[in-house]
Amino acid sequence: METVKTLILGGGPAGFTAAIYAARANLSPVVYEGIQPGGQLTTTTVVENFPGFPGGVDANTLMDSMRQQAAGFGADVRRGTATAVDLGTRPFHVTIDGETEILAQTLIIATGAQARYLGLPSEEKFKGAGVSACATCDGFFYRKRTVAVVGGGDTACEEALYLAGLAKKVYMIVRRDVFRASKIMQDKVFKTDNIEVLWNCNTQEVLGDAMGVTGARLLRKDGTVFDIAIDGFFLAIGHTPASALFAPWLELDDNGYILTQGKSAQTSVPGVFAAGDVQDPRYRQAVTAAASGCMAARDAEKFLLENNI
Ligand code: NDP
């Protein structure tokens, strides 16, 4: 069975940054990209907030560059998804796609998170054409336009406030008659003139034409169906971290995010590190994921040194 010093699961900004640092530290990392090569970032088009690209950069190009940079330093980048893990003893036992068995002296988990969507066919149809799950990524395209944000949690409020600074008008579509968000975020929303909260509403359909989103059809709890005219439809109904496989072994928070210790990437199992969105319910940016990937690789390097491996 193959034994590696550092195994990295995940091919997003966190995984590849970890791979760049681990490769340059002579850890000969093996990286497995999962079912979405390049990670969640590749679901957007242009990335305008990654430092170093004043004109923006195509998301796929950015991820290809990170992959190439990692491979250039000797990282072994492969396709495959971890289907089983045993983190009970070191080296850790990882199974890829149900067949390839690998023993890893250190493991970096950078499997990311998936934004939740409502599951409407019309929502799927307009993904990338007005439907987005990331206001920080795509909000800029809606300057002086009208948008809607679905959700009533802290993220929805934060995204609505961010969008309110750019857009002419922001609707918040909230399924109950109360927010789930913290009081301070609610107050900020209520104090913002160009945010209108539509309480007790669920989206029946995202409306659009060949150019993209033009509106949304909503159903209020009292049975009323009505349309709103919008140019962008933002989902903020939570994320699901890809951590289920590790749940029997690692400490997770109540929402399934892997817990790391202090200012480190160390999980509750020594030698297992987590980076990127799988451990970050808060910032969820490519640049913060990349930074935590660097931390994970540095932590893995230190662990191997201290354990004479
Ligand atoms: P939450 O789970 O807190 O909120 C999700 C929201 O989406 C809820 O209002 C929920 O409604 C709504 N929702 C869920 N499913 C649907 C659906 N199918 N249709 C319509 N609405 C739906 O997720 P967040 O991403 O907002 O926050 C995650 C965590 O991160 C929280 O702990 C939050 O506090 C934290 N956070 C903190 C921030 C800060 O401190 N500034 C910023 C961002 C996040 P309902 O309430 O009815 O269930």
Side-chain angles (χ1 to χ4, degrees):
M1 197 185 306
E2 183 183 16
T3 301
V4 300
K5 272 190 178 174
T6 301
L7 177 64
I8 299 168
L9 301 177
F16 284 133
T17 306
I20 291 165
Y21 275 80
R24 286 171 59 85
N26 269 343
L27 306 186
S28 310
V30 170
V31 188
Y32 274 96
E33 292 195 78
I35 41 170
Q36 192 169 8
Q40 222 191 147
L41 195 64
T42 57
T43 61
T44 184
T45 47
V46 181
V47 183
E48 292 188 323
N49 54 11
F50 201 86
F53 299 92
V57 56
D58 171 77
N60 282 297
T61 308
L62 179 63
M63 292 322 302
D64 287 345
S65 306
M66 288 193 198
R67 185 185 296 107
Q68 263 178 44
Q69 197 174 349
F73 287 119
D76 182 348
V77 183
R78 306 174 186 174
R79 285 278 171 87
T81 305
T83 47
V85 292
D86 180 348
L87 308 182
T89 49
R90 207 166 35 81
F92 309 113
H93 191 161
V94 178
T95 310
I96 305 290
D97 292 334
E99 49 190 28
T100 310
E101 310 277 336
I102 298 186
L103 292 174
Q105 299 288 5
T106 56
L107 177 66
I108 295 177
I109 302 168
T111 45
Q114 292 283 335
R116 288 192 203 124
Y117 286 84
L118 297 172
L120 303 168
S122 55
E123 174 192 57
E124 187 63 33
K125 185 174 160 194
F126 293 112
K127 262 189 201 169
V131 170
S132 165
C134 180
T136 325
C137 320
D138 299 325
F140 203 63
F141 303 114
Y142 297 92
R143 270 166 298 170
K144 299 196 169 43
R145 302 178 80 184
T146 301
V147 298
V149 176
V150 184
D154 279 322
T155 303
C157 290
E158 205 170 63
E159 307 240 308
L161 289 163
Y162 176 79
L163 289 165
L166 299 163
K168 186 171 67 186
K169 165 142 192 159
V170 180
Y171 290 106
M172 288 188 76
I173 304 170
V174 181
R175 67 178 173 183
R176 291 187 291 150
D177 61 354
V178 285
F179 277 131
R180 179 182 290 275
S182 54
K183 179 84 173 54
I184 186 163
M185 296 302 281
Q186 300 193 24
D187 287 347
K188 282 186 185 169
V189 165
F190 293 140
K191 280 187 193 142
T192 306
D193 288 340
N194 62 339
I195 300 180
E196 180 180 342
V197 184
L198 302 171
W199 302 107
N200 292 314
C201 286
N202 273 301
T203 309
Q204 276 194 330
E205 206 181 332
V206 180
L207 309 170
D209 57 22
M211 299 298 289
V213 169
T214 57
R217 180 153 301 151
L218 309 184
L219 168 65
R220 198 177 273 129
K221 257 194 194 135
D222 62 9
T224 331
V225 176
F226 63 103
D227 292 352
I228 52 171
I230 49 170
D231 306 296
F233 184 81
F234 288 86
L235 281 307
I237 59 171
H239 284 74
T240 307
S243 62
L245 196 61
F246 313 102
W249 308 99
L250 302 179
E251 280 176 23
L252 310 180
D253 75 7
D254 292 343
N255 296 312
Y257 290 89
I258 298 176
L259 289 171
T260 52
Q261 296 171 4
K263 283 188 178 176
S264 82
Q266 177 63 60
T267 68
S268 54
V269 172
V272 180
F273 306 91
D277 287 10
V278 74
Q279 53 84 55
D280 177 13
R282 180 97 194 250
Y283 298 103
R284 296 193 290 252
Q285 300 301 300
V287 71
T288 50
S292 68
C294 159
M295 290 162 63
R298 300 295 313 266
D299 288 349
E301 185 188 350
K302 186 163 172 278
F303 180 88
L304 290 165
L305 200 68
E306 285 172 358
N307 288 278
N308 299 316
I309 300 166

